[in-house]
């Protein structure tokens, strides 16, 4: 009989991990203190955009993101088939715009190293830029056009993942309020305030921005902390936006339900998911320099979520040295939706006996801060 795996947290990372494990025949249970996808994962803009997100250099995190992007088409196909639900996977491509001639050099160096990773990105301007994105501002002097970047409708993606998990036999407990690890070294026992008790062979920790709360239990440093992201959406009338459009100040993602998602601020506000005037007005102030038709529009919806950030910007992915039955998969910061297939498969590989060597030994090791 295959092992029983407990997963703490039912965001996109917990659900993807459960999905990957269930495909390999493991007996999987998710314990979620609130509702699956109710935190960062349901708040995300859904961009699958490693080339736009990582501009500096091809570190292990970029490679991790790129691998995940290239898994997405097949992965989402399977989730769609099993869940019988759609979540608007759209291979739209992206436009990353700049406003000054002096910024073009940085675009050139960016696409030079990205080419080594199979990117077909190109620098465009003038008529070509206007033909691809007719409503883009005349203030934009040039852009990187990257065909490969895509997006999903994140709230529907997590719903579909949940259904796919259930259809694959994953047991999901939600609204548990408080879930705590009673013992883990000899016997693994996890309890809830309602008095339920769970035992298993392994525990995978996918608790996002709340993971630092487990430091005292495992007696290691877990510097994962919440960075609030405030975001809004517009209703489009007849205006056309064809691609993900990004600048150094933010991004706009056209959804097939006729809305345009505009994100996102970054600030430290503890575990507050309140939306503030300051957070949203920064987006509103800037976005007219990207798509001028937004000057006359107001967002119809605003919301916020807590990205799980880490001290060095890399996630925690792997098992504890002395206790290999405890596995961390958390700290995906701005890219958890993008990273969901690669993370799920990496954890399933590890549990199936393949040692994790993600690009550079130790880069994502969960004990690297201790
Ligand atoms: C505004 C915004 C826009 C974003 N846009 C994008 C984007 O375009 N593309 C992209 O790839 N990423 C994006 N992200 C980032 C992405 O949303 C996150 O990286 C991802 O959702 C993290 O997933 P997670 O499962 O680790 O965390 P979460 O979705 O937060 O899930 C963690 C879950 O664990 C539960 N939990 C915590 N502690 C416990 C416990 N002790 N027991 C049981 N359950 C527990 C929580 O209730 C929660 O449901 C965005 C984030 C924000 C906020």
């Amino acid at each position: 009989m295959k092992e029983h795996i407990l997963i703490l947290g039912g965001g996109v990372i917990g659900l993807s991990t459960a999905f990957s494990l269930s495909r390999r025949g493991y007996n999987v249970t998710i314990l979620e203190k609130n509702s699956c996808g109710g935190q960062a994962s349901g708040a995300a803009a859904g961009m699958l955009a490693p080339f736009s997100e990582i501009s500096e250099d091809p570190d292990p995190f970029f490679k991790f993101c790129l691998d995940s992007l290239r898994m997405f088409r097949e992965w989402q196909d399977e989730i769609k088939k099993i869940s019988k639900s759609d979540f608007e996977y759209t291979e739209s491509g992206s436009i990353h715009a700049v406003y000054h001639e002096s910024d073009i050099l940085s675009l050139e160096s960016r696409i030079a190293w990205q080419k080594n990773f199979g990117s077909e990105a190109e620098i465009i301007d003038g008529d070509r830029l206007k033909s691809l994105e007719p409503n883009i501002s005349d203030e934009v002097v040039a852009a990187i056009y990257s065909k490969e970047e895509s997006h999903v409708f994140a709230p529907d993606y997590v719903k579909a993942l949940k259904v796919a998990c259930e259809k694959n036999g994953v047991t999901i407990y939600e609204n548990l309020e408080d879930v705590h690890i009673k013992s883990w070294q000899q016997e693994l026992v996890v309890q809830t305030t309602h008095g339920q008790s769970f035992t298993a062979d392994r525990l995978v920790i996918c608790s996002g921005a709340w993971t630092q709360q487990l430091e005292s239990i495992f007696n290691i440093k877990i510097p994962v902390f919440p960075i609030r992201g405030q975001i809004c959406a517009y209703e489009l009338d007849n205006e056309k936006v064809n691609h993900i459009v990004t600048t150094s100040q933010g991004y706009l993602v056209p959804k097939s339900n006729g809305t345009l998602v505009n994100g996102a601020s970054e600030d430290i506000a503890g575990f507050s998911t309140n939306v503030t005037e300051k957070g949203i007005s920064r987006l509103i102030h800037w976005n007219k320099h990207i798509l001028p038709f937004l000057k006359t529009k107001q967002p119809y919806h605003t919301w916020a979520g807590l990205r799980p950030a880490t001290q060095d910007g890399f996630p925690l992915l792997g098992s504890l040295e002395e206790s290999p039955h405890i596995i961390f998969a958390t700290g995906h910061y701005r890219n958890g939706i993008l990273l969901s297939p690669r993370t799920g498969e990496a954890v399933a590989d590890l549990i199936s006996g393949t040692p994790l060597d993600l690009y550079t030994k130790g880069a994502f090791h969960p004990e690297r801060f201790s």
Side-chain angles (χ1 to χ4, degrees):
M1 218 181 63
K2 285 255 181 165
E3 292 179 13
H4 180 206
I5 320 288
L6 268 188
I7 296 183
L8 211 64
V12 74
I13 299 300
L15 290 165
S16 304
T17 300
F19 181 68
S20 288
L21 287 166
S22 67
R23 291 201 292 191
R24 300 189 197 193
Y26 287 95
N27 172 7
V28 186
T29 302
I30 295 179
L31 305 180
E32 165 54 56
K33 64 178 180 179
N34 298 311
S35 60
C36 285
Q39 296 292 344
S41 305
M47 287 184 297
L48 313 174
F51 295 114
S52 301
E53 279 283 307
I54 297 138
S55 56
E56 299 303 320
D57 63 276
D59 59 15
F61 188 65
F62 169 76
K63 291 174 196 156
F64 187 37
C65 289
L66 186 59
D67 279 358
S68 208
L69 174 69
R70 291 182 175 159
M71 289 169 69
F72 229 101
R73 189 184 289 172
E74 231 176 90
W75 168 267
Q76 62 85 33
D77 229 22
E78 195 179 340
I79 292 160
K80 239 189 255 175
K81 259 188 221 135
I82 298 174
S83 67
K84 296 193 171 37
S85 38
D86 186 41
F87 41 88
E88 300 180 19
Y89 171 70
T90 311
E91 295 180 351
S92 60
S94 67
I95 303 270
H96 176 74
V98 296
Y99 293 84
H100 306 285
E101 294 288 339
S102 56
D103 291 328
I104 296 176
L105 187 62
S106 75
L107 297 188
E108 282 165 355
S109 69
R110 201 199 275 212
I111 63 169
W113 70 255
Q114 289 181 351
K115 274 198 169 46
N116 296 331
F117 294 88
S119 160
E120 290 173 10
E122 52 182 312
I123 296 183
I124 56 170
D125 57 14
D127 291 347
R128 176 126 163 83
L129 175 57
K130 279 282 180 190
S131 71
L132 286 170
E133 204 55 69
N135 283 308
I136 202 154
S137 166
D138 292 335
E139 292 177 61
V140 171
V141 297
I144 291 183
Y145 171 43
S146 184
K147 290 195 191 80
E148 212 178 338
E149 298 198 315
S150 310
H151 58 95
V152 293
F153 191 72
D156 287 352
Y157 172 50
V158 281
K159 274 185 210 149
L161 262 173
K162 184 184 170 207
V163 174
C165 283
E166 285 169 331
K167 291 220 168 137
N168 275 6
V170 174
T171 307
I172 302 180
Y173 292 87
E174 292 181 273
N175 303 309
L176 296 175
E177 286 176 31
D178 190 28
V179 182
H180 79 272
I181 300 162
K182 186 160 177 260
S183 67
W184 58 279
Q185 270 152 322
Q186 308 301 332
E187 196 193 1
L188 181 60
V189 182
V190 179
Q191 283 186 335
T192 72
T193 33
H194 306 304
Q196 288 148 295
S197 189
F198 300 87
T199 59
D201 300 295
R202 304 202 199 220
L203 178 67
V204 189
I205 292 161
C206 304
S207 46
W210 293 264
T211 310
Q212 193 170 33
Q213 294 169 354
L214 304 175
E215 268 188 345
S216 59
I217 291 168
F218 294 112
N219 203 20
I220 57 168
K221 284 211 167 68
I222 312 175
V224 180
F225 49 90
I227 298 283
R228 180 170 60 180
Q230 299 183 53
I231 181 163
C232 62
Y234 293 85
E235 266 172 345
L236 293 180
D237 296 309
N238 295 316
E239 305 92 347
K240 251 178 102 77
V241 183
N242 300 323
H243 305 86
I244 299 170
V245 183
T246 68
T247 72
S248 60
Q249 303 298 314
Y251 54 77
L252 292 142
V253 191
K255 299 295 178 185
S256 53
N257 64 0
T259 64
L260 184 67
V261 173
N262 179 198
S265 71
E266 287 188 356
D267 69 350
I268 296 173
F271 288 93
S272 163
T273 51
N274 291 341
V275 172
T276 64
E277 153 94 51
K278 191 173 165 206
I280 297 297
S281 64
R282 193 188 69 73
L283 300 173
I284 295 176
H285 170 76
W286 182 255
N287 65 32
K288 56 180 180 281
H289 297 287
I290 311 173
L291 296 169
F293 69 75
L294 290 174
K295 260 184 219 162
T296 55
K297 286 188 183 283
Q298 282 301 314
Y300 80 101
H301 181 35
T302 58
W303 68 99
L306 301 172
R307 305 178 187 95
T310 64
Q311 196 175 303
D312 61 5
F314 288 179
L316 275 65
L317 184 53
S319 54
L320 298 185
E321 290 295 331
E322 302 288 318
S323 304
H325 62 294
I326 305 294
I327 296 160
F328 282 77
T330 187
H332 294 70
Y333 192 36
R334 292 171 60 99
N335 288 286
I337 304 291
L338 165 63
L339 286 167
S340 53
R342 184 69 184 92
T343 301
E345 286 298 288
V347 175
D349 284 346
L350 179 66
I351 290 176
S352 310
T354 309
L356 272 194
D357 182 9
L358 287 164
Y359 317 109
T360 305
K361 240 187 163 50
F364 303 156
H365 197 291
E367 287 165 290
R368 66 185 181 276
F369 303 104
S370 295

